[in-house]
Amino acid sequence: MSAYVIGLDYGTDSVRAVLLDTESGKELASSVYEYPRWKKRLFCDASANRFRQHPLDHIEGLEETIKGVVAKSKVSGTDIKGICIDTTGSSPVPVSEDGTPLALQEEFKENPNAMMVLWKDHTAIEEANEINELAESWGGENFTKYEGGIYSSEWFWAKIAHIIREDDNVKNSAYTWMEHCDLMTYHIIENQDLESFKRSRCAAGHKAMWHESWGGLPSEDFLNRLDPYLGELRGRLYTETYTSDEVAGNLSKEWADKLGLTTECVVAVGTFDAHSGAVGAKIDEHTLVRVMGTSTCDIIVSSKEVIADKTVRGICGQVDGSVIPGFIGLEAGQSAFGDLLAWFKDVLSWPVDNLVLNSEVLSSEQKENLKSEIEKDFIKKLSEQAEEIPLEESIPIALDWINGRRTPDANQELKSAISNLSLGTRAPHIFKALVNAICFGSKEIVDRFEQEGVKINSVIGIGGVARKSPFIMQTLANVLKKPIKVAKSDEAPALGAAIYASVAAGIFPDVIEASKTLGSDFEAEYNPEDAKISKYEDLMKAYKDLSSFVDNKTGRKSLND
């Protein structure tokens, strides 16, 4: 009998669903829903690094996309056996005692502090610094050691501490907090009970300092020293966590009726998009998977025998089972990748947006046509001209820290910088410098893994940047001095989520076997160009010199110092 599964992937700007035939591995349908409130930038303030999203964007998107793939595929709802949800993270949400997001209550429907705190929200820098200082000084277990030794403002406890200090109403009204991947999973299952609900191992281990060696979350004593609210909250969270090949529950009757499915459909434990994407790209030992979009997440798995008791410094955590059960999943990444290039595009677009497109000379139709033409060719033309600039020519040096530094050695207080500008510098020169910068930042991550004994033989790129920009991918291969394969699927995270769902539904025995059938093929491979490697090494040295100068100006030392 035919069996199908659905993977649901919540990204920064949209949610997409894919429906897979588990026998052939064929993707039968996909559907994408852009968040309407987020698109208007409601509840956000970029100047304050505040990025929030309304849960209704996600709830509406879930219904729209799943109904969409069922309708497109014409598959019977009775044959859809499993669903798994992946999301960005850490993206915590304050909820009431029954698990309802506060933002769905009338009192909080316009309050940014009651919304989901998106992964790239950096309002909690001060709180992250407090966590790091306490972890080093309090005399007990250093709860950051499996998080790379530095806790980030992008993560669970720092964000909650910031919100509750800023907003007493949210603090007093929130019974507990849930990661986005847990919230969406909980929202659609039957028999809802927060106390017994299976929380994501991936989310807890990488962002909330959960580790089995100290019995789960950081101790109440440690959290009380940060803020008594956090110590109290610990008792309303969880002790155990679960990998995403396990069943969180069955689809509720309400949601089965809405979606045209049945209550026999299982819902797997939730996870994060990058870890799911790595599974969708058929990750294996010694292969680094780079999820390349607005930011990057870098995922690698290692056997327990290799990692043993070693803690890898300056990354985003090492967690047993966060990618493939039975293996240690290690995460790193850059806070801005595509975002850096998008920022430059916005800067260059200012005269067009404010002078040309606001002109009264052009008709509305002419303006729309012009805008469409510019959008289509903007990055393409920049890439073509940047690629033609010889490496021997004077090229600016830039840093990729436009949104702070995630790894190695998290520091969200850092800013980007550009040096070596001259009167001969043109837009393609700066664009080339920015592409170099995101690739040099990638090299720092690879170097840190290898310095810490995590071997990397090859790299897999997934996501929009990997598929759409040969210029960036070839530059990355030259900088990393490693071959890079590009996954064919546009939807690798959703594919990975579907793989987890297939195992939770009992269709495949484990994640590795499921990925062999359902994982993405590869559409391109980039190999290092020997003639260019030495020049990129020189440029990388200049990048290191500039980064050291800017890093030291923040007053915080990295773990390398």
Side-chain angles (χ1 to χ4, degrees):
M1 189 170 66
S2 298
Y4 305 90
V5 289
I6 292 173
L8 197 66
D9 168 44
Y10 283 92
T12 301
D13 299 320
S14 60
V15 57
R16 71 278 304 157
V18 298
L19 188 149
L20 298 184
D21 181 332
T22 59
E23 185 174 353
S24 67
K26 186 178 179 182
E27 181 183 305
L28 299 183
S30 65
S31 178
V32 179
Y33 177 86
E34 293 189 348
Y35 311 135
R37 298 163 188 82
W38 168 253
K39 202 169 184 178
K40 296 176 183 176
R41 289 299 184 260
L42 300 180
F43 320 113
C44 298
D45 181 357
S47 64
N49 286 317
R50 187 183 79 197
F51 298 99
R52 310 287 164 81
Q53 291 185 338
H54 200 296
L56 279 177
D57 275 352
H58 308 126
I59 294 167
E60 292 165 0
L62 185 149
E63 183 173 358
E64 184 85 10
T65 55
I66 293 184
K67 286 167 73 173
V69 294
V70 174
K72 286 179 185 177
S73 67
K74 296 182 171 54
V75 165
S76 169
T78 59
D79 292 332
I80 295 174
K81 304 301 183 183
I83 297 172
C84 181
I85 297 171
D86 75 73
T87 69
T88 64
S90 178
S91 299
V93 188
V95 301
S96 62
E97 194 164 357
D98 66 356
T100 301
L102 293 190
L104 299 187
Q105 299 177 11
E106 185 67 24
E107 180 183 359
F108 294 104
K109 68 179 184 179
E110 300 295 331
N111 184 343
N113 292 324
M115 304 298 158
M116 186 191 83
V117 187
L118 188 63
W119 65 268
K120 70 177 184 177
D121 186 295
H122 290 165
T123 53
I125 288 174
E126 184 178 328
E127 288 76 13
N129 288 342
E130 288 179 36
I131 291 171
N132 288 314
E133 289 164 10
L134 180 63
E136 289 289 336
S137 65
W138 82 300
E141 182 74 70
N142 186 335
F143 294 110
T144 70
K145 71 181 183 180
Y146 292 108
E147 310 276 27
I150 301 176
Y151 202 75
S152 169
S153 65
E154 293 183 351
W155 298 348
F156 188 77
W157 293 108
K159 286 177 170 176
I160 295 171
H162 178 77
I163 297 292
I164 58 101
R165 290 173 180 177
E166 189 174 80
D167 195 321
D168 281 341
N169 202 11
V170 170
K171 174 182 177 179
N172 295 329
S173 300
Y175 173 75
T176 189
W177 294 69
M178 299 182 79
E179 272 291 352
H180 188 206
C181 65
D182 288 330
L183 175 68
M184 300 312 299
T185 302
Y186 182 81
H187 189 73
I188 63 173
I189 63 171
E190 199 66 78
N191 302 321
Q192 293 178 338
D193 174 53
L194 278 178
E195 192 171 334
S196 62
F197 175 67
K198 293 179 180 178
R199 306 283 187 130
S200 166
R201 169 77 56 83
C202 178
H206 284 286
K207 312 301 179 186
M209 296 187 282
W210 182 94
H211 199 270
E212 58 187 3
S213 67
W214 48 70
L217 294 168
S219 70
E220 184 178 349
D221 185 11
F222 176 82
L223 294 171
N224 275 333
R225 295 181 190 219
L226 290 168
D227 193 293
Y229 174 89
L230 300 182
E232 181 187 346
L233 174 63
R234 185 187 189 277
R236 299 194 298 272
L237 287 168
Y238 50 87
T239 300
E240 299 300 321
T241 63
Y242 300 85
T243 55
S244 292
D245 58 334
E246 297 196 50
V247 176
N250 283 63
L251 194 63
S252 70
K253 185 177 188 311
E254 176 190 358
W255 276 97
D257 290 344
K258 277 185 184 180
L259 302 174
L261 307 182
T262 74
T263 56
E264 295 300 307
C265 178
V266 303
V267 182
V269 173
T271 189
F272 282 160
D273 52 358
H275 305 73
S276 179
V279 169
K282 299 180 181 177
I283 192 171
D284 201 356
E285 277 197 273
H286 312 307
T287 297
L288 181 72
V289 175
R290 308 208 76 222
V291 185
M292 301 161 69
T294 54
S295 66
T296 72
C297 274
D298 299 296
I299 306 294
I300 193 165
V301 296
S302 182
S303 67
K304 296 177 183 179
E305 291 74 23
V306 169
I307 292 294
D309 295 326
K310 179 189 285 291
T311 54
V312 180
R313 303 171 305 130
I315 63 168
C316 303
Q318 53 193 80
V319 180
D320 184 4
S322 66
V323 183
I324 298 176
F327 288 81
I328 305 295
L330 301 101
E331 176 192 349
Q334 292 164 273
S335 292
F337 197 80
D339 263 357
L340 181 60
L341 307 181
W343 162 81
F344 187 53
K345 175 180 174 291
D346 287 345
V347 170
L348 293 183
S349 297
W350 187 93
V352 175
D353 294 339
N354 290 275
L355 299 176
V356 178
L357 295 180
N358 277 339
S359 169
E360 295 180 2
V361 175
L362 299 175
S363 68
S364 296
E365 184 180 356
Q366 286 173 320
K367 289 177 183 179
E368 281 302 313
N369 290 340
L370 179 60
K371 186 176 181 180
S372 176
E373 192 67 25
I374 290 170
E375 284 288 329
K376 183 179 73 174
D377 288 337
F378 204 108
I379 296 296
K380 179 185 174 186
K381 290 292 186 185
L382 272 175
S383 296
E384 288 173 355
Q385 293 192 28
E387 194 169 9
E388 290 173 3
I389 299 172
L391 290 175
E392 291 72 27
E393 192 168 322
S394 180
I395 300 169
I397 300 298
L399 301 181
D400 51 310
W401 302 337
I402 198 79
N403 197 25
R405 182 179 64 209
R406 182 179 295 159
T407 53
D409 310 325
N411 186 347
Q412 303 304 341
E413 295 174 84
L414 290 171
K415 305 295 182 186
S416 186
I418 302 176
S419 68
N420 201 37
L421 297 170
S422 73
L423 290 174
T425 302
R426 298 289 182 264
H429 291 84
I430 298 175
F431 185 77
K432 191 179 187 83
L434 298 178
V435 169
N436 288 346
I438 57 180
C439 294
F440 294 150
S442 307
K443 181 70 162 64
E444 292 278 43
I445 291 169
V446 168
D447 286 350
R448 174 57 62 85
F449 274 129
E450 294 189 328
Q451 289 161 6
E452 295 288 305
V454 180
K455 187 178 179 183
I456 298 172
N457 292 335
S458 62
V459 179
I460 295 173
I462 66 176
V465 175
R467 296 200 69 205
K468 294 174 184 176
S469 181
F471 171 52
I472 293 175
M473 298 309 294
Q474 185 59 63
T475 303
L476 187 62
N478 290 336
V479 170
L480 298 185
K481 296 183 279 190
K482 296 181 187 295
I484 304 175
K485 291 191 291 187
V486 176
K488 186 176 183 179
S489 175
D490 271 330
E491 312 293 358
L495 209 56
I499 288 170
Y500 286 130
S502 72
V503 180
I507 299 166
F508 289 94
D510 56 54
V511 171
I512 293 174
E513 282 302 308
S515 69
K516 289 177 183 176
T517 299
L518 305 181
S520 175
D521 292 327
F522 302 101
E523 66 178 7
E525 184 166 358
Y526 297 87
N527 291 292
E529 298 170 308
D530 293 340
K532 296 182 179 180
I533 286 176
S534 63
K535 186 57 185 174
Y536 278 113
E537 287 175 341
D538 292 339
L539 292 169
M540 179 78 188
K541 183 179 182 304
Y543 169 90
K544 284 177 172 285
D545 290 342
L546 181 60
S547 63
S548 179
F549 174 80
V550 172
D551 201 349
N552 288 333
K553 290 294 182 182
T554 67
R556 287 179 56 192
K557 297 286 186 180
S558 73
L559 291 177
N560 280 328
D561 296 323

PDB file of all heavy atoms in Angstrom, residues 326-350:
ATOM      1  N   GLY A 326      22.238   8.580  17.356  1.00  0.00           N
ATOM      2  CA  GLY A 326      23.410   7.727  17.484  1.00  0.00           C
ATOM      3  C   GLY A 326      24.706   8.431  17.152  1.00  0.00           C
ATOM      4  O   GLY A 326      25.788   7.913  17.431  1.00  0.00           O
ATOM      5  N   PHE A 327      24.626   9.609  16.562  1.00  0.00           N
ATOM      6  CA  PHE A 327      25.803  10.414  16.242  1.00  0.00           C
ATOM      7  C   PHE A 327      25.718  11.758  16.960  1.00  0.00           C
ATOM      8  O   PHE A 327      24.624  12.244  17.273  1.00  0.00           O
ATOM      9  CB  PHE A 327      25.904  10.680  14.736  1.00  0.00           C
ATOM     10  CG  PHE A 327      26.285   9.483  13.919  1.00  0.00           C
ATOM     11  CD1 PHE A 327      25.335   8.525  13.567  1.00  0.00           C
ATOM     12  CD2 PHE A 327      27.600   9.296  13.493  1.00  0.00           C
ATOM     13  CE1 PHE A 327      25.684   7.416  12.807  1.00  0.00           C
ATOM     14  CE2 PHE A 327      27.955   8.194  12.739  1.00  0.00           C
ATOM     15  CZ  PHE A 327      26.996   7.248  12.402  1.00  0.00           C
ATOM     16  N   ILE A 328      26.870  12.361  17.200  1.00  0.00           N
ATOM     17  CA  ILE A 328      26.912  13.710  17.743  1.00  0.00           C
ATOM     18  C   ILE A 328      26.741  14.708  16.598  1.00  0.00           C
ATOM     19  O   ILE A 328      27.471  14.657  15.609  1.00  0.00           O
ATOM     20  CB  ILE A 328      28.243  14.000  18.471  1.00  0.00           C
ATOM     21  CG1 ILE A 328      28.502  12.955  19.561  1.00  0.00           C
ATOM     22  CG2 ILE A 328      28.250  15.415  19.049  1.00  0.00           C
ATOM     23  CD1 ILE A 328      27.499  12.968  20.690  1.00  0.00           C
ATOM     24  N   GLY A 329      25.761  15.592  16.716  1.00  0.00           N
ATOM     25  CA  GLY A 329      25.573  16.655  15.730  1.00  0.00           C
ATOM     26  C   GLY A 329      26.263  17.919  16.201  1.00  0.00           C
ATOM     27  O   GLY A 329      26.078  18.344  17.344  1.00  0.00           O
ATOM     28  N   LEU A 330      27.086  18.505  15.344  1.00  0.00           N
ATOM     29  CA  LEU A 330      27.793  19.740  15.684  1.00  0.00           C
ATOM     30  C   LEU A 330      27.323  20.852  14.746  1.00  0.00           C
ATOM     31  O   LEU A 330      27.180  20.638  13.541  1.00  0.00           O
ATOM     32  CB  LEU A 330      29.309  19.563  15.561  1.00  0.00           C
ATOM     33  CG  LEU A 330      29.919  18.470  16.455  1.00  0.00           C
ATOM     34  CD1 LEU A 330      30.183  17.210  15.634  1.00  0.00           C
ATOM     35  CD2 LEU A 330      31.205  18.952  17.103  1.00  0.00           C
ATOM     36  N   GLU A 331      27.107  22.034  15.313  1.00  0.00           N
ATOM     37  CA  GLU A 331      26.565  23.160  14.549  1.00  0.00           C
ATOM     38  C   GLU A 331      27.473  24.383  14.672  1.00  0.00           C
ATOM     39  O   GLU A 331      27.993  24.690  15.744  1.00  0.00           O
ATOM     40  CB  GLU A 331      25.170  23.514  15.060  1.00  0.00           C
ATOM     41  CG  GLU A 331      24.568  24.743  14.384  1.00  0.00           C
ATOM     42  CD  GLU A 331      23.325  25.276  15.075  1.00  0.00           C
ATOM     43  OE1 GLU A 331      22.800  24.578  15.965  1.00  0.00           O
ATOM     44  OE2 GLU A 331      22.898  26.393  14.732  1.00  0.00           O
ATOM     45  N   ALA A 332      27.638  25.078  13.554  1.00  0.00           N
ATOM     46  CA  ALA A 332      28.282  26.390  13.546  1.00  0.00           C
ATOM     47  C   ALA A 332      27.501  27.252  12.563  1.00  0.00           C
ATOM     48  O   ALA A 332      26.415  26.879  12.128  1.00  0.00           O
ATOM     49  CB  ALA A 332      29.749  26.263  13.142  1.00  0.00           C
ATOM     50  N   GLY A 333      28.038  28.420  12.185  1.00  0.00           N
ATOM     51  CA  GLY A 333      27.337  29.218  11.189  1.00  0.00           C
ATOM     52  C   GLY A 333      27.717  30.682  11.208  1.00  0.00           C
ATOM     53  O   GLY A 333      28.475  31.136  12.066  1.00  0.00           O
ATOM     54  N   GLN A 334      27.197  31.400  10.238  1.00  0.00           N
ATOM     55  CA  GLN A 334      27.423  32.836  10.104  1.00  0.00           C
ATOM     56  C   GLN A 334      26.099  33.572  10.258  1.00  0.00           C
ATOM     57  O   GLN A 334      25.098  33.189   9.656  1.00  0.00           O
ATOM     58  CB  GLN A 334      28.031  33.149   8.731  1.00  0.00           C
ATOM     59  CG  GLN A 334      29.449  32.615   8.561  1.00  0.00           C
ATOM     60  CD  GLN A 334      29.874  32.585   7.099  1.00  0.00           C
ATOM     61  OE1 GLN A 334      29.615  31.616   6.401  1.00  0.00           O
ATOM     62  NE2 GLN A 334      30.529  33.649   6.636  1.00  0.00           N
ATOM     63  N   SER A 335      26.108  34.653  11.019  1.00  0.00           N
ATOM     64  CA  SER A 335      24.881  35.409  11.267  1.00  0.00           C
ATOM     65  C   SER A 335      24.371  36.105  10.010  1.00  0.00           C
ATOM     66  O   SER A 335      23.199  36.474   9.934  1.00  0.00           O
ATOM     67  CB  SER A 335      25.105  36.446  12.377  1.00  0.00           C
ATOM     68  OG  SER A 335      25.307  35.811  13.615  1.00  0.00           O
ATOM     69  N   ALA A 336      25.252  36.337   9.065  1.00  0.00           N
ATOM     70  CA  ALA A 336      24.826  36.913   7.777  1.00  0.00           C
ATOM     71  C   ALA A 336      25.632  36.269   6.662  1.00  0.00           C
ATOM     72  O   ALA A 336      26.849  36.173   6.747  1.00  0.00           O
ATOM     73  CB  ALA A 336      25.015  38.426   7.760  1.00  0.00           C
ATOM     74  N   PHE A 337      24.946  35.824   5.641  1.00  0.00           N
ATOM     75  CA  PHE A 337      25.588  35.302   4.427  1.00  0.00           C
ATOM     76  C   PHE A 337      24.909  36.020   3.252  1.00  0.00           C
ATOM     77  O   PHE A 337      25.360  37.070   2.811  1.00  0.00           O
ATOM     78  CB  PHE A 337      25.427  33.786   4.353  1.00  0.00           C
ATOM     79  CG  PHE A 337      26.370  33.132   3.378  1.00  0.00           C
ATOM     80  CD1 PHE A 337      27.690  32.889   3.733  1.00  0.00           C
ATOM     81  CD2 PHE A 337      25.946  32.747   2.116  1.00  0.00           C
ATOM     82  CE1 PHE A 337      28.569  32.274   2.830  1.00  0.00           C
ATOM     83  CE2 PHE A 337      26.802  32.134   1.221  1.00  0.00           C
ATOM     84  CZ  PHE A 337      28.125  31.899   1.575  1.00  0.00           C
ATOM     85  N   GLY A 338      23.757  35.519   2.809  1.00  0.00           N
ATOM     86  CA  GLY A 338      23.004  36.241   1.795  1.00  0.00           C
ATOM     87  C   GLY A 338      22.571  37.621   2.268  1.00  0.00           C
ATOM     88  O   GLY A 338      22.437  38.558   1.472  1.00  0.00           O
ATOM     89  N   ASP A 339      22.356  37.772   3.592  1.00  0.00           N
ATOM     90  CA  ASP A 339      21.953  39.069   4.138  1.00  0.00           C
ATOM     91  C   ASP A 339      22.984  40.158   3.864  1.00  0.00           C
ATOM     92  O   ASP A 339      22.631  41.334   3.707  1.00  0.00           O
ATOM     93  CB  ASP A 339      21.726  38.963   5.649  1.00  0.00           C
ATOM     94  CG  ASP A 339      20.257  38.777   6.001  1.00  0.00           C
ATOM     95  OD1 ASP A 339      19.403  38.795   5.085  1.00  0.00           O
ATOM     96  OD2 ASP A 339      19.950  38.614   7.199  1.00  0.00           O
ATOM     97  N   LEU A 340      24.268  39.797   3.847  1.00  0.00           N
ATOM     98  CA  LEU A 340      25.313  40.788   3.581  1.00  0.00           C
ATOM     99  C   LEU A 340      25.191  41.318   2.161  1.00  0.00           C
ATOM    100  O   LEU A 340      25.290  42.530   1.912  1.00  0.00           O
ATOM    101  CB  LEU A 340      26.695  40.168   3.809  1.00  0.00           C
ATOM    102  CG  LEU A 340      27.903  41.094   3.592  1.00  0.00           C
ATOM    103  CD1 LEU A 340      27.863  42.292   4.529  1.00  0.00           C
ATOM    104  CD2 LEU A 340      29.216  40.332   3.770  1.00  0.00           C
ATOM    105  N   LEU A 341      24.944  40.427   1.214  1.00  0.00           N
ATOM    106  CA  LEU A 341      24.799  40.842  -0.181  1.00  0.00           C
ATOM    107  C   LEU A 341      23.479  41.585  -0.382  1.00  0.00           C
ATOM    108  O   LEU A 341      23.413  42.550  -1.168  1.00  0.00           O
ATOM    109  CB  LEU A 341      24.875  39.617  -1.091  1.00  0.00           C
ATOM    110  CG  LEU A 341      26.117  38.730  -0.894  1.00  0.00           C
ATOM    111  CD1 LEU A 341      26.086  37.559  -1.868  1.00  0.00           C
ATOM    112  CD2 LEU A 341      27.401  39.521  -1.053  1.00  0.00           C
ATOM    113  N   ALA A 342      22.436  41.172   0.337  1.00  0.00           N
ATOM    114  CA  ALA A 342      21.148  41.866   0.248  1.00  0.00           C
ATOM    115  C   ALA A 342      21.267  43.291   0.786  1.00  0.00           C
ATOM    116  O   ALA A 342      20.659  44.230   0.246  1.00  0.00           O
ATOM    117  CB  ALA A 342      20.080  41.098   1.021  1.00  0.00           C
ATOM    118  N   TRP A 343      22.042  43.461   1.861  1.00  0.00           N
ATOM    119  CA  TRP A 343      22.283  44.806   2.399  1.00  0.00           C
ATOM    120  C   TRP A 343      22.942  45.697   1.348  1.00  0.00           C
ATOM    121  O   TRP A 343      22.530  46.839   1.132  1.00  0.00           O
ATOM    122  CB  TRP A 343      23.180  44.716   3.637  1.00  0.00           C
ATOM    123  CG  TRP A 343      23.819  46.030   3.994  1.00  0.00           C
ATOM    124  CD1 TRP A 343      23.247  47.064   4.682  1.00  0.00           C
ATOM    125  CD2 TRP A 343      25.131  46.473   3.626  1.00  0.00           C
ATOM    126  NE1 TRP A 343      24.123  48.125   4.773  1.00  0.00           N
ATOM    127  CE2 TRP A 343      25.285  47.785   4.134  1.00  0.00           C
ATOM    128  CE3 TRP A 343      26.187  45.878   2.927  1.00  0.00           C
ATOM    129  CZ2 TRP A 343      26.473  48.512   3.955  1.00  0.00           C
ATOM    130  CZ3 TRP A 343      27.362  46.609   2.753  1.00  0.00           C
ATOM    131  CH2 TRP A 343      27.500  47.901   3.257  1.00  0.00           C
ATOM    132  N   PHE A 344      23.949  45.168   0.652  1.00  0.00           N
ATOM    133  CA  PHE A 344      24.650  45.952  -0.364  1.00  0.00           C
ATOM    134  C   PHE A 344      23.704  46.301  -1.514  1.00  0.00           C
ATOM    135  O   PHE A 344      23.716  47.425  -2.032  1.00  0.00           O
ATOM    136  CB  PHE A 344      25.859  45.172  -0.873  1.00  0.00           C
ATOM    137  CG  PHE A 344      26.744  45.952  -1.803  1.00  0.00           C
ATOM    138  CD1 PHE A 344      27.251  47.191  -1.448  1.00  0.00           C
ATOM    139  CD2 PHE A 344      27.076  45.438  -3.049  1.00  0.00           C
ATOM    140  CE1 PHE A 344      28.076  47.911  -2.314  1.00  0.00           C
ATOM    141  CE2 PHE A 344      27.888  46.142  -3.918  1.00  0.00           C
ATOM    142  CZ  PHE A 344      28.395  47.382  -3.548  1.00  0.00           C
ATOM    143  N   LYS A 345      22.867  45.364  -1.888  1.00  0.00           N
ATOM    144  CA  LYS A 345      21.875  45.619  -2.939  1.00  0.00           C
ATOM    145  C   LYS A 345      20.943  46.755  -2.522  1.00  0.00           C
ATOM    146  O   LYS A 345      20.623  47.646  -3.325  1.00  0.00           O
ATOM    147  CB  LYS A 345      21.080  44.350  -3.228  1.00  0.00           C
ATOM    148  CG  LYS A 345      19.937  44.526  -4.219  1.00  0.00           C
ATOM    149  CD  LYS A 345      19.225  43.203  -4.428  1.00  0.00           C
ATOM    150  CE  LYS A 345      18.001  43.360  -5.298  1.00  0.00           C
ATOM    151  NZ  LYS A 345      16.918  44.115  -4.640  1.00  0.00           N
ATOM    152  N   ASP A 346      20.506  46.747  -1.261  1.00  0.00           N
ATOM    153  CA  ASP A 346      19.623  47.806  -0.776  1.00  0.00           C
ATOM    154  C   ASP A 346      20.312  49.169  -0.812  1.00  0.00           C
ATOM    155  O   ASP A 346      19.698  50.185  -1.151  1.00  0.00           O
ATOM    156  CB  ASP A 346      19.156  47.500   0.651  1.00  0.00           C
ATOM    157  CG  ASP A 346      18.136  46.385   0.707  1.00  0.00           C
ATOM    158  OD1 ASP A 346      17.571  46.040  -0.351  1.00  0.00           O
ATOM    159  OD2 ASP A 346      17.912  45.841   1.798  1.00  0.00           O
ATOM    160  N   VAL A 347      21.597  49.179  -0.456  1.00  0.00           N
ATOM    161  CA  VAL A 347      22.347  50.442  -0.492  1.00  0.00           C
ATOM    162  C   VAL A 347      22.424  50.975  -1.919  1.00  0.00           C
ATOM    163  O   VAL A 347      22.164  52.158  -2.181  1.00  0.00           O
ATOM    164  CB  VAL A 347      23.767  50.241   0.088  1.00  0.00           C
ATOM    165  CG1 VAL A 347      24.636  51.473  -0.161  1.00  0.00           C
ATOM    166  CG2 VAL A 347      23.706  49.939   1.578  1.00  0.00           C
ATOM    167  N   LEU A 348      22.762  50.100  -2.850  1.00  0.00           N
ATOM    168  CA  LEU A 348      22.882  50.528  -4.246  1.00  0.00           C
ATOM    169  C   LEU A 348      21.530  50.906  -4.854  1.00  0.00           C
ATOM    170  O   LEU A 348      21.472  51.692  -5.808  1.00  0.00           O
ATOM    171  CB  LEU A 348      23.521  49.415  -5.082  1.00  0.00           C
ATOM    172  CG  LEU A 348      24.981  49.070  -4.789  1.00  0.00           C
ATOM    173  CD1 LEU A 348      25.466  48.010  -5.767  1.00  0.00           C
ATOM    174  CD2 LEU A 348      25.888  50.291  -4.853  1.00  0.00           C
ATOM    175  N   SER A 349      20.451  50.345  -4.298  1.00  0.00           N
ATOM    176  CA  SER A 349      19.122  50.590  -4.864  1.00  0.00           C
ATOM    177  C   SER A 349      18.512  51.916  -4.420  1.00  0.00           C
ATOM    178  O   SER A 349      17.490  52.333  -4.968  1.00  0.00           O
ATOM    179  CB  SER A 349      18.161  49.458  -4.456  1.00  0.00           C
ATOM    180  OG  SER A 349      18.588  48.228  -4.977  1.00  0.00           O
ATOM    181  N   TRP A 350      19.138  52.582  -3.471  1.00  0.00           N
ATOM    182  CA  TRP A 350      18.525  53.799  -2.919  1.00  0.00           C
ATOM    183  C   TRP A 350      18.187  54.839  -3.991  1.00  0.00           C
ATOM    184  O   TRP A 350      17.058  55.334  -4.036  1.00  0.00           O
ATOM    185  CB  TRP A 350      19.443  54.409  -1.853  1.00  0.00           C
ATOM    186  CG  TRP A 350      18.786  55.550  -1.141  1.00  0.00           C
ATOM    187  CD1 TRP A 350      18.067  55.498   0.015  1.00  0.00           C
ATOM    188  CD2 TRP A 350      18.741  56.922  -1.569  1.00  0.00           C
ATOM    189  NE1 TRP A 350      17.579  56.737   0.341  1.00  0.00           N
ATOM    190  CE2 TRP A 350      17.981  57.646  -0.613  1.00  0.00           C
ATOM    191  CE3 TRP A 350      19.262  57.620  -2.652  1.00  0.00           C
ATOM    192  CZ2 TRP A 350      17.743  59.014  -0.714  1.00  0.00           C
ATOM    193  CZ3 TRP A 350      19.022  58.989  -2.768  1.00  0.00           C
ATOM    194  CH2 TRP A 350      18.273  59.674  -1.809  1.00  0.00           C
TER     195      TRP A 350
END
